[in-house]
Amino acid sequence: MSLLAWLPFYPLISFLCLIIFARRLSWLQASVLGIGGIALSAVASALVINQLINTDAAFISVKLWSWFSLGSSAVNFSFYLDALSAVMIAVVSGVGLLIHAYAAAYMKNDENFSRFMAYMNLFIVAMLILVLADNLVLLYLGWEGVGLCSFLLIGFWYREKENVLAARKAFIVTRVGDTAMAIGLFLLFKSLGELNIAAVNESAAALWQIGDELTYWIALLLLGGAVGKSAQLPLQTWLPDAMAGPTPVSALIHAATMVTAGVYLIARMQGIFLLSPEVMSYVAWVGALTLLLAGFAALAQTDIKRVLAYSTMSQIGYMMLALGAGAWSAGIFHLMTHAFFKALLFLTAGSVILALHHQQDLFKMGGLLKKLPVESGLFIVGLICLMALPGTSGFFSKEAIIAVLWSSPTAGPVLWWGAILGALLTSIYSCRLFFLGFLGKSRRYDKLHALDDEHPRVLLRWPLFLLALLSLLGGLIALDFTAVFAAPSAGTGVQEPGWLHPLAIATPFIGIAFSWFFFKDYRQNQGQELAMKPRALVRFCSGGLGFDRLYQALLVRPYCFLATVNRRDIIDQLIMLNGWYVRLWHDALSASQNGSLRWYAAGIGLAVVFLAGVITL
């Protein structure tokens, strides 16, 4: 079998072993299995990517087996590797390997460690199927698979009610987007009779015109799926609550991989979106509004992981903005660099949380720069990449996005200013986080938890160093998408002012300078207790700008009210009537079996008379 075909099977075999033997495995055995499966996938990914680079063809494909047929369209279990899916498998298996290694140390003392590693491996299987699928059915299988794994991992510590509620919320909210996506895929198949992704894009370009109504609705429905999975407006509310899961889960699923599946979907279905410039504009606006919303919300968070969660929403907003503006390559470039530095930030935050006895409240931290110098240095690397300071990977990818917005026909100057404001907010909430957690003096924890006593240092530290290296140098990785994406559309012809690029580069420094003075009390704190000021605006931003309350008022409460009023609804009554009918016959037949010979003889006599009557008539 081709090496490409084996990619998802390594972690699948590992998952099966971990889930079957579970508690019989020691920590070391479960770690070797869990990390080994993803390590083999990472090595295989590197080899097939090298094979793709050295071949003249634009893609490599492999058919494993025929699955089923729909009409004239055959649905196969086949994988397709081009430059786009190559980037995705590199991120999924490469960054996934480092997160798996870290997770083995982080979760060492958990009683269900084998089950945790099994779920992590299953997620990698689903994600690899999603990004390698050559047809829409297989892609949807992987799409739903990552949703299931997200549910299992968010609620991994299911004995705590809030974790269960967070997992349920993520599952339900993403189902809304998934339903829209499924309808869009049905429409695509009904209209084109094709399920192969490359054939769908080619047929759409050949048969449909730009601006067709059908194309508009299909692209809009696919966008619905993307915003659900990538936590973009208006389906963004599940991601901050998903931080209830273990920190490695946040790094793998809710920062580096699954949440970027929506970006991948839009990029993969580029042929459909290019036929609907109106929806392309929607994509750009969704991205811009989300990055601003998340930026304001991050400014009012007290939990270190929730700050990073809103930051993830914001950075995915940049990716959406790039796709909407037609900067496909820049969007995927930012997807890759973001995976590096956001995984670094989440994992370093995990080490900080462990050292502080599972404390996540920034207002109870302080002074970590002196107490945890290595972790602090790594966190600084992640933050300067997030703020896109010159020379970092975040700088190269974010600048590539901002550079095309002003003259893009589906974006324009307004969205350019939105991106600049987003960059300013990013630098301000990054500085606030750092000042609160790492500068000043410790506000509560003079003695830290000794990580080396219980967690293997090599697994807890080296993945962070490698991620830091990728975060700093990842911007130098040259990606070539000329065989995947269409050439960028011509700009609007608007003359770009000369101050655009200098202002874009200076914006993070303006945010740092502002924060240095505005958050002076945080960085110079001498160990006094700090607390958020209970202003209405702060509470509004802290609650994600009121979306949870809005959905609670518009959807949840009316639904619960109707469910209460309609408790005896007609459907339930019909089902209960069927049960009553079966019970009635059960009682009647049971009563007839009383062991009395005279009763049986009378019954036989009555039956004979009845049959004779029927025959006679």
Side-chain angles (χ1 to χ4, degrees):
M1 195 187 294
S2 162
L3 199 58
L4 175 61
W6 273 102
L7 282 183
F9 286 96
Y10 298 123
L12 178 62
I13 294 169
S14 173
F15 160 74
L16 292 173
C17 293
L18 285 164
I19 211 71
I20 290 171
F21 298 108
R23 290 181 182 275
R24 298 177 188 172
L25 298 172
S26 66
W27 170 81
L28 182 60
Q29 291 168 330
S31 298
V32 169
L33 271 173
I35 299 173
I38 181 67
L40 288 173
S41 275
V43 172
S45 297
L47 292 174
V48 294
I49 290 171
N50 183 60
Q51 188 181 345
L52 177 69
I53 292 171
N54 293 318
T55 185
D56 294 332
F59 63 89
I60 300 172
S61 65
V62 59
K63 175 183 172 183
L64 280 74
W65 61 79
S66 297
W67 195 359
F68 60 90
S69 297
L70 275 176
S72 59
S73 180
V75 179
N76 300 319
F77 210 98
S78 304
F79 294 148
Y80 179 92
L81 182 77
D82 60 1
L84 175 58
S85 45
V87 171
M88 295 302 295
I89 64 169
V91 168
V92 172
S93 61
V95 176
L97 171 62
L98 298 176
I99 295 174
H100 269 67
Y102 180 91
Y106 187 91
M107 299 290 289
K108 183 182 178 186
N109 298 324
D110 195 284
E111 59 180 338
N112 295 307
F113 177 73
S114 294
R115 181 164 61 87
F116 176 78
M117 294 303 281
Y119 290 166
M120 293 278 279
N121 275 266
L122 183 62
F123 170 79
I124 295 292
V125 175
M127 196 70 202
L128 286 173
I129 290 175
L130 192 162
V131 301
L132 287 173
D134 85 329
N135 62 75
L136 295 170
V137 178
L138 196 56
L139 183 148
Y140 195 72
L141 177 69
W143 187 273
E144 292 299 335
V146 296
L148 170 66
C149 294
S150 173
F151 171 77
L152 294 173
L153 287 165
I154 294 170
F156 180 73
W157 290 322
Y158 59 86
R159 291 187 178 90
E160 294 181 27
K161 185 179 178 182
E162 66 174 24
N163 297 347
V164 176
L165 293 177
R168 189 180 69 180
K169 183 178 181 181
F171 192 77
I172 293 174
V173 173
T174 52
R175 291 289 78 69
V176 175
D178 293 358
T179 304
M181 177 183 166
I183 297 171
L185 297 183
F186 285 135
L187 273 178
L188 261 179
F189 178 69
K190 181 176 181 293
S191 307
L192 298 176
E194 280 286 353
L195 286 168
N196 182 278
I197 295 172
V200 164
N201 282 322
E202 289 175 8
S203 299
L207 300 175
W208 293 337
Q209 301 296 315
I210 294 177
D212 280 355
E213 187 177 357
L214 181 61
T215 317
Y216 170 85
W217 285 109
I218 291 174
L220 197 62
L221 288 164
L222 294 179
L223 174 60
V227 298
K229 198 67 85 185
S230 292
Q232 299 291 286
L233 273 172
L235 300 177
Q236 83 287 3
T237 56
W238 65 269
L239 186 58
D241 291 356
M243 297 301 109
T247 302
V249 174
S250 306
L252 178 64
I253 298 182
H254 305 125
T257 52
M258 189 193 84
V259 288
T260 58
V263 177
Y264 171 78
L265 176 70
I266 294 176
R268 179 55 78 198
M269 302 306 293
Q270 181 206 27
I272 301 296
F273 282 88
L274 285 176
L275 294 173
S276 182
E278 204 171 356
V279 177
M280 289 273 287
S281 184
Y282 295 165
V283 174
W285 274 98
V286 164
L289 292 175
T290 305
L291 75 89
L292 292 177
L293 176 149
F296 283 115
L299 281 171
Q301 300 303 311
T302 58
D303 186 313
I304 186 171
K305 285 179 67 179
R306 288 181 74 90
V307 176
L308 296 178
Y310 278 110
S311 166
T312 296
M313 286 167 53
S314 175
Q315 297 307 304
I316 295 173
Y318 274 106
M319 298 172 208
M320 289 287 189
L321 185 51
L323 299 183
W328 306 93
S329 301
I332 300 302
F333 187 29
H334 195 55
L335 183 156
M336 182 188 73
T337 61
H338 174 258
F340 298 152
F341 63 74
K342 190 51 64 67
L344 172 65
L345 284 169
F346 264 112
L347 296 186
T348 311
S351 294
V352 169
I353 292 167
L354 277 181
L356 296 180
H357 309 273
H358 298 280
Q359 180 57 259
Q360 297 183 196
D361 190 338
L362 285 165
F363 284 79
K364 296 176 181 173
M365 297 183 183
L368 293 175
L369 186 61
K370 292 180 180 175
K371 291 181 178 295
L372 294 172
V374 176
E375 283 74 13
S376 300
L378 292 166
F379 205 81
I380 290 171
V381 171
L383 284 181
I384 63 173
C385 294
L386 174 64
M387 289 189 287
L389 297 191
T392 63
S393 61
F395 170 78
F396 290 113
S397 56
K398 197 178 287 185
E399 281 303 304
I401 294 171
I402 293 175
V404 300
L405 295 179
W406 189 279
S407 58
S408 168
T410 50
V414 175
L415 295 187
W416 185 89
W417 280 109
I420 292 297
L421 180 56
L424 183 66
L425 292 172
T426 301
S427 63
I428 293 174
Y429 69 67
S430 298
C431 289
R432 173 182 174 271
L433 186 161
F434 185 72
F435 294 167
L436 271 173
F438 294 84
L439 296 187
K441 291 189 176 178
S442 174
R443 289 183 284 280
R444 185 158 299 191
Y445 296 93
D446 291 327
K447 186 176 181 181
L448 303 182
H449 178 67
L451 300 180
D452 296 341
D453 294 346
E454 299 179 7
H455 307 276
R457 174 187 285 266
V458 67
L459 294 179
L460 211 56
R461 284 272 175 86
W462 279 103
L464 303 185
F465 288 127
L466 292 174
L467 283 170
L469 196 63
L470 287 169
S471 300
L472 289 173
L473 304 178
L476 303 177
I477 298 174
L479 302 178
D480 182 6
F481 293 113
T482 51
V484 180
F485 298 132
S489 57
T492 55
V494 176
Q495 186 67 34
E496 292 186 1
W499 45 263
L500 287 187
H501 297 297
L503 179 59
I505 295 170
T507 298
F509 295 103
I510 296 172
I512 293 171
F514 171 82
S515 305
W516 183 261
F517 295 104
F518 191 79
F519 297 124
K520 179 182 176 183
D521 293 344
Y522 294 168
R523 64 181 172 82
Q524 293 185 346
N525 183 272
Q526 296 301 308
Q528 307 95 322
E529 288 288 329
L530 288 173
M532 290 273 288
K533 295 178 180 177
R535 295 172 180 163
L537 181 61
V538 172
R539 290 199 302 272
F540 179 67
C541 291
S542 176
L545 276 63
F547 275 87
D548 275 327
R549 289 188 176 185
L550 181 68
Y551 293 158
Q552 191 78 17
L554 292 181
L555 300 172
V556 178
R557 285 178 188 160
Y559 180 80
C560 291
F561 172 76
L562 288 175
T564 304
V565 171
N566 193 37
R567 183 174 294 169
R568 293 180 176 276
D569 71 350
I570 187 66
I571 303 298
D572 281 352
Q573 295 306 312
L574 287 174
I575 294 171
M576 292 175 69
L577 180 64
N578 186 50
W580 174 82
Y581 180 75
V582 172
R583 183 74 187 179
L584 178 67
W585 275 101
H586 168 267
D587 291 344
L589 293 173
S590 297
S592 68
Q593 304 302 307
N594 57 8
S596 173
L597 184 62
R598 287 184 298 173
W599 179 262
Y600 293 154
I604 293 171
L606 284 173
V608 170
V609 170
F610 176 74
L611 286 174
V614 170
I615 293 170
T616 304
L617 294 174

